[in-house]
Amino acid sequence: GAVVSQHPSRVICKSGTSVKIECRSLDFQATTMFWYRQFPKQSLMLMATSNEGSKATYEQGVEKDKFLINHASLTLSTLTVTSAHPEDSSFYICSARLTDSYNEQFFGPGTRLTVL
Amino acid sequence: AQTVTQSQPEMSVQEAETVTLSCTYDTSESDYYLFWYKQPPSRQMILVIRQEAYKQQNATENRFSVNFQKAAKSFSLKISDSQLGDAAMYFCAYSPGAGSYQLTFGKGTKLSVIP
C-alpha cells in the first residue's frame, strides 16, 4: 500500500514552454502533498507544500508564479513549470503524507525535466 | 530552523559486513520524528526506518537498526550483513511533531558495497 505515482517520468521541452507534472496517491487519500527538487548528487530541496482545497505554501526563494501547484483532489497534485528555461532542468519529486502516519511521506518515482 | 547534518559524503563496506552511517540534527523541539531514506540509482526514495523521539527504544527493521541518542541529537543507521542491493544514497531526515509535516533532509551519504 501507500503508492505514489508521477507522470511523466521524463519530459523534454523547449525553452519558453510550460510543463505539467502530475502526482497521484494511488491507494490512499492525501490531504498534504509535497514537491521537491533534486539537483545531481545533491539532497532533496522542498519547494512547496500542497494542501487539498487551498493554496500551496512555497518555500523561501521559490517563485510561486513560476511553479504553479494545484491540489484539486485528495489523490492528485500537479506542478506546472511555466515558461521553462534551461536552469529549470532538474529532477522533480513529489511525496504524499498518509494521515496519522507518524509524519511519514511516501515518494513518487520522480520526473526528469530537461529544458532545451 | 532545524538542520540535519550527515558528515560522511561517502562510505564503503564489504559485502556481509556491518556499516554505520552518521546523522546529527539540531532542534529545540521535544517531540519529533526521524527517518532514514534510501535512494538507489533508480532515484525512488524508499523509507528504511523511522524513530519517534518520545520512544527510548531504538527502532529496528530486519538488518537495519538505529542508535538514537536524544540528548546528543544523534541518529545513526547501522546496516548489518550488507548486501549489494544496499548500495545507494542514504538520507537522514527530520520532521517536527504534530502540526507540521515537512521533512528536512541531510545532504546524504553515498554507500558503496564491495563484493
Side-chain angles (χ1 to χ4, degrees):
Chain A
V3 178
V4 177
S5 70
Q6 259 182 264
H7 179 79
S9 57
R10 294 174 181 265
V11 56
I12 301 172
C13 69
K14 293 182 179 180
S15 185
T17 62
S18 295
V19 174
K20 179 185 285 189
I21 302 170
E22 293 186 347
C23 177
R24 293 182 185 273
S25 54
L26 298 184
D27 50 2
F28 66 101
Q29 293 185 331
T31 55
T32 306
M33 290 184 171
F34 303 87
W35 287 96
Y36 297 86
R37 185 171 181 177
Q38 186 178 31
F39 290 106
K41 298 184 180 181
Q42 293 191 21
S43 188
L44 281 70
M45 180 192 79
L46 179 65
M47 298 175 66
T49 301
S50 169
N51 293 296
E52 186 267 338
S54 63
K55 290 184 178 180
T57 303
Y58 291 82
E59 295 300 299
Q60 190 173 9
V62 178
E63 300 175 59
K64 64 176 85 173
D65 295 330
K66 174 93 175 152
F67 299 99
L68 300 179
I69 292 172
N70 187 304
H71 193 158
S73 77
L74 287 173
T75 59
L76 174 64
S77 176
T78 60
L79 168 67
T80 301
V81 183
T82 62
S83 186
H85 290 281
E87 57 265 31
D88 298 324
S89 298
S90 189
F91 193 69
Y92 292 87
I93 305 175
C94 74
S95 70
R97 175 182 167 266
L98 182 63
T99 305
D100 297 329
S101 65
Y102 303 100
N103 284 19
E104 181 179 344
Q105 294 181 21
F106 297 90
F107 288 82
T111 297
R112 162 74 64 197
L113 170 63
T114 303
V115 185
L116 302 176
Chain B
Q2 293 85 9
T3 58
V4 178
T5 302
Q6 292 180 249
S7 59
Q8 306 153 316
E10 297 187 21
M11 292 282 284
S12 62
V13 62
Q14 291 283 147
E15 195 175 2
E17 296 296 311
T18 296
V19 65
T20 298
L21 308 184
S22 301
C23 173
T24 59
Y25 58 95
D26 185 28
T27 183
S28 58
E29 305 289 330
S30 59
D31 186 23
Y32 50 87
Y33 303 90
L34 297 165
F35 306 88
W36 279 97
Y37 280 91
K38 169 185 177 180
Q39 188 180 42
S42 68
R43 305 194 75 169
Q44 171 74 58
M45 295 287 284
I46 301 166
L47 177 68
V48 175
I49 199 165
R50 67 164 175 253
Q51 175 80 42
E52 293 90 343
Y54 63 87
K55 289 187 178 179
Q56 293 185 338
Q57 186 173 10
N58 289 323
T60 299
E61 286 288 342
N62 300 314
R63 298 183 295 107
F64 300 88
S65 62
V66 298
N67 183 2
F68 173 47
Q69 301 291 326
K70 191 172 183 179
K73 295 179 183 176
S74 171
F75 183 61
S76 61
L77 174 70
K78 185 171 82 172
I79 305 174
S80 303
D81 186 25
S82 297
Q83 301 176 358
L84 295 178
D86 295 333
M89 283 291 291
Y90 285 82
F91 293 100
C92 178
Y94 167 98
S95 180
S100 177
Y101 310 110
Q102 294 182 352
L103 286 173
T104 300
F105 287 92
K107 291 188 175 182
T109 296
K110 182 179 180 181
L111 178 66
S112 300
V113 180
I114 303 166

